[in-house]
Amino acid sequence: MVPISSSPRHARLRPVAQTLGVGLVGLGVYAAVGHLGYLPHPPFQLAVLAAAAVLFALRGRWPGPVLLVLAALTGPVPAVGPVTAAAAYSVARRMARPRPRARLLAAAGALLVVCATVAGPRLGPGSAAYGLALGLVLAPTAVIVPGLVGTVRGQQGRLLRALRERGDAAERARRLADSEARIHERSRIAAEMHDLVGHRLSLVSLHAGGLELALEGAAPQLREEAVLVRRTTRDALRELRQVLGVLGPLARDTGPDALTHATGTRADIEALVTQSRDGGIAVRLDWTGPDLDARPAPVRRAVHRVVREALTNVHRYAADAHVTVTVEHDTAGAATAAADGARVRVTVRNGARPGPPAPAEEPGTGRGLTGLRERVELLGGTFEAVPLPSGGFRVAAAVPAEPAEPGGGPAGRRADDGPGTLTAAGPEATWPDPAGPEPAAPDPDGRRTAEVLTLGFGLAALSALMVVGIAFVYAAQPSGRSGPAPLPRVGMTYAEVAGYGVLDNAAVRAAASGHEPPRPAGTAGCVYPFNGATERHPGGLLIARYCFDAAQRLIAIDRFDVPSVRDATPWETP
């Protein structure tokens, strides 16, 4: 009933704390009723209260039966009322269906009234009627009111959860809509690039093919250059289509995921080296370790692109330099790669060219090495591109053989996509939030404390009402005597007469002095009471006199009139 912290330790201590709390409140009601003198059979009631506390701890497993048994025990033992109230609140709060909850609360209240009525003659106020009254007093405070409060609290909690779920669903729908909008925009950009750049590259490839045929007979020594232009244009067109696959619709069979399974394997790297060697570059490949065909596709593609970008820069800035491509693959298996820290190390190193560096015919964009660094670091690796003291250049990358995430990076992003791109994971793809993840909701310790205090004060107030109702019912029951109160009789002792409230009054004795009749023979002393024995009438007072002998036995009761003195008016003088 009382929420505590949600930590594992507090979750284990919560039922114990709740049981002890309601048990102490019930013990307080037991002590208050006993102090008022309305507690028949105290040992029996204390034992029943202890058993009720044990039953309260089982309310989570059997909520309905436990509540009914506690209501039945509250009838003969009103001290169980606080335990029953806590159980009614807890059970009503957890029950979501209104009709079963209403039937259970009504049955518990009716059972409490019936048990109080039956137990009234022996364990209650003394009769079935007053037992019924006691049951009618306890039923609202122990069952009905706590059950209604628990119902309201449970409905409030369920409403808040439903609203929170709807808010989360609306947020997911908004992000999905934003993702779809970005997908359409990227598709439009891809279409524009395909129409403009793709068409130009196709024309270049076509003209290069015609030039190859024209030079076959006229200048055979230039034919190889034309062949190289045509092949390079074809490769550029293929790579353009791959890039467009990243920007294009997710259902298109293009992009990095559409590359063959051999991309980044040893055969693929050897093909890059062979192409550079055919272009006039003195390049050598040193491969250490097994092939990369067992590694994830993002790792193989990263290796492939590091080698390709480095060789492209060699073609541009140091075409007549010697180049060494080194690939070192650890021998750890794929299953133990992550635990053993296995990595794939790629190094492309070129020496200084014999003459002065020739200016590049076409300046680069400066994004090649930067993009490689982002791609490698996204996989959890390291990247380095530095000039050598000898005048050459070295590009080195170390990529984990098994990245931490299945996609080679954080969830929702592929290693091939670079920063800020959309994952091609299907319709559930989401765009990374530029503001970062939403902050976690703070732990509502203040709200929990306020709820604990509120429920504690409510249970204490209900217990106070129970004590007042029990005292009212017990005080209203008859004392067992009927008719007028008995009067003193001749022969009673002085103590027995005094027990009836007959006590001597000095004023009445002074009024009777000089006006009383003679005392009976054997009188040792007389008592002149005021209350219940002295009456005033016009012109005098009727005084009663109780005379006792030497043995303090009542021997006579006399009544006589004493004339009263007329009061003088204020303006009269004596």
Side-chain angles (χ1 to χ4, degrees):
M1 184 183 75
V2 180
I4 310 178
S5 175
S6 58
S7 64
R9 180 180 178 184
H10 288 165
R12 292 192 298 268
L13 295 178
R14 183 186 306 168
V16 179
Q18 292 175 348
T19 303
L20 290 178
V22 298
L24 290 176
V25 177
L27 192 61
V29 174
Y30 171 87
V33 175
H35 179 72
L36 296 175
Y38 303 137
L39 191 66
H41 310 288
F44 169 76
Q45 298 214 13
L46 189 60
V48 173
L49 177 59
V54 175
L55 284 175
F56 176 80
L58 302 176
R59 73 196 184 282
R61 181 172 297 181
W62 301 293
V66 167
L67 178 59
L68 294 177
V69 172
L70 289 176
L73 294 178
T74 306
V77 183
V80 183
V83 184
T84 306
Y89 170 86
S90 178
V91 172
R93 179 179 177 178
R94 296 181 181 181
M95 294 184 67
R97 301 177 61 186
R99 290 187 178 180
R101 179 178 59 240
R103 286 196 291 264
L104 178 61
L105 294 178
L111 186 61
L112 190 154
V113 174
V114 171
C115 291
T117 304
V118 174
R122 295 185 179 181
L123 302 175
S127 65
Y130 282 89
L132 175 62
L134 181 62
L136 293 177
V137 168
L138 292 176
T141 55
V143 177
I144 305 302
V145 173
L148 294 178
V149 174
T151 299
V152 173
R153 185 66 182 87
Q155 290 178 347
Q156 180 185 10
R158 287 186 289 272
L159 178 60
L160 289 177
R161 285 193 297 270
L163 292 176
R164 189 177 295 111
E165 292 175 357
R166 292 187 61 182
D168 294 342
E171 181 65 18
R172 289 193 299 269
R174 183 190 65 81
R175 293 185 178 182
L176 184 59
D178 293 344
S179 175
E180 292 294 334
R182 288 182 174 88
I183 291 174
H184 290 303
E185 183 64 19
R186 289 154 65 94
S187 301
R188 188 186 65 81
I189 295 173
E192 293 291 337
M193 292 181 63
H194 182 272
D195 293 341
L196 296 177
V197 182
H199 178 66
R200 297 297 183 183
L201 288 178
S202 299
L203 292 178
V204 171
S205 178
L206 179 62
H207 290 298
L211 182 60
E212 177 185 353
L213 295 177
L215 294 175
E216 183 176 2
Q221 65 278 12
L222 299 178
R223 180 176 177 276
E224 293 299 329
E225 297 295 334
V227 172
L228 180 60
V229 171
R230 180 174 56 82
R231 290 178 179 177
T232 303
T233 305
R234 182 190 60 191
D235 294 340
L237 184 59
R238 176 175 56 83
E239 292 173 1
L240 174 64
R241 292 193 179 117
Q242 294 173 2
V243 173
L244 294 180
V246 178
L247 294 174
L250 300 179
R252 292 181 55 181
D253 189 17
T254 57
D257 289 335
L259 297 177
T260 63
H261 187 71
T263 301
T265 60
R266 180 167 183 171
D268 192 22
I269 302 301
E270 291 177 349
L272 291 177
V273 172
T274 302
Q275 291 177 4
S276 297
R277 189 179 294 118
D278 294 341
I281 303 296
V283 56
R284 186 181 78 254
L285 173 63
D286 294 335
W287 187 289
T288 304
D291 202 347
L292 298 178
D293 52 357
R295 297 306 181 190
V299 175
R300 291 185 279 105
R301 283 195 289 267
V303 173
H304 174 268
R305 296 192 179 186
V306 168
V307 175
R308 186 181 64 179
E309 180 66 23
L311 292 178
T312 301
N313 289 338
V314 170
H315 277 278
R316 178 173 297 171
Y317 301 106
D320 50 357
H322 293 278
V323 184
T324 302
V325 178
T326 305
V327 179
E328 299 178 0
H329 181 201
D330 291 350
T331 57
T336 60
D340 298 338
R343 287 178 173 266
V344 180
R345 296 174 177 83
V346 183
T347 304
V348 180
R349 179 172 180 170
N350 65 278
R353 52 176 304 165
E361 298 179 0
E362 182 180 355
T365 62
R367 288 289 302 171
L369 296 179
T370 303
L372 287 180
R373 183 184 303 276
E374 293 175 351
R375 188 179 309 279
V376 172
E377 291 179 353
L378 191 61
L379 288 170
T382 59
F383 181 83
E384 183 183 29
V386 294
L388 299 176
S390 60
F393 203 84
R394 182 171 66 90
V395 176
V399 184
E402 293 290 335
E405 294 293 337
R413 183 185 291 181
R414 286 199 318 261
D416 290 324
D417 293 337
T421 56
L422 188 67
T423 177
E428 297 295 331
T430 57
W431 185 266
D433 191 355
E438 297 180 359
D443 189 20
D445 289 334
R447 182 178 60 83
R448 288 197 179 98
T449 302
E451 185 176 359
V452 170
L453 294 178
T454 301
L455 294 178
F457 284 132
L459 186 59
L462 287 177
S463 301
L465 290 177
M466 292 179 195
V467 173
V468 173
I470 294 169
F472 176 79
V473 173
Y474 273 86
Q477 64 178 340
S479 60
R481 298 181 301 178
S482 61
L487 298 176
R489 301 185 306 274
V490 176
M492 290 184 175
T493 63
Y494 175 77
E496 293 175 344
V497 174
Y500 286 99
V502 179
L503 301 174
D504 187 60
N505 187 277
V508 177
R509 176 184 290 273
S513 177
H515 300 283
E516 60 180 323
R519 295 183 177 183
T523 299
C526 296
V527 174
Y528 301 86
F530 175 78
N531 54 332
T534 302
E535 299 178 1
R536 184 175 181 178
H537 57 83
L541 295 174
L542 178 61
I543 297 177
R545 183 183 65 184
Y546 295 80
C547 297
F548 298 86
D549 59 8
Q552 295 187 354
R553 292 282 179 179
L554 183 61
I555 58 177
I557 301 175
D558 300 320
R559 287 180 172 84
F560 52 89
D561 290 327
V562 175
S564 61
V565 179
R566 184 176 67 88
D567 295 333
T569 57
W571 56 84
E572 292 181 353
T573 57

